[in-house]
Amino acid sequence: IILHFNITVTVLAIFHDLHVDSKLYALVFGESVLNDAVAIVLYSSILTYSPYSGEGEGVFDAAALFRSIGIFIGIFIGSFAIGCLMGLLTALISLFVINIENSYIT
């Protein structure tokens, strides 16, 4: 799978040169990452649908469709859980570092 992040990289580079607000920068970056993640999940779901469709090309197979939807939901939930854990870990590390810095100041 080929991801097109050259447009986003260009926009983010221009934002950096123009000193755009960091919130806008983060929103554009987050949207880019989300689009890439959705593309990867949809691509993998479509690939898994193809082998399960045993009746030949052009024939709808409901069981294969539900397997693909299940795989999509499984990847989504797993990715969401990993993202939440990483966000929590980052927040705890940041809190710990800030508390250490504040203890040295006072």
Side-chain angles (χ1 to χ4, degrees):
I1 190 169
I2 298 175
L3 302 176
H4 330 241
F5 44 104
N6 55 356
I7 295 172
T8 306
V9 169
T10 304
V11 170
L12 292 176
I14 292 171
F15 280 2
H16 180 71
D17 289 344
L18 296 176
H19 304 291
V20 175
D21 184 30
S22 62
K23 290 180 184 178
L24 178 60
Y25 185 91
L27 283 173
V28 172
F29 180 75
E31 186 266 341
S32 166
V33 171
L34 182 65
N35 281 347
D36 292 346
V38 168
I40 291 169
V41 170
L42 286 176
Y43 180 76
S44 64
S45 295
I46 290 170
L47 283 181
T48 57
Y49 176 78
S50 184
Y52 292 118
S53 178
E55 299 178 21
E57 290 188 31
V59 177
F60 177 74
D61 185 9
L65 175 68
F66 288 123
R67 279 189 210 106
S68 294
I69 290 172
I71 290 170
F72 177 83
I73 291 171
I75 291 172
F76 175 78
I77 291 172
S79 299
F80 185 77
I82 290 170
C84 287
L85 288 174
M86 293 305 293
L88 181 63
L89 180 66
T90 304
L92 290 173
I93 290 171
S94 298
L95 181 65
F96 181 71
V97 169
I98 289 171
N99 284 337
I100 289 175
E101 288 176 356
N102 288 339
S103 68
Y104 285 126
I105 294 174
T106 56

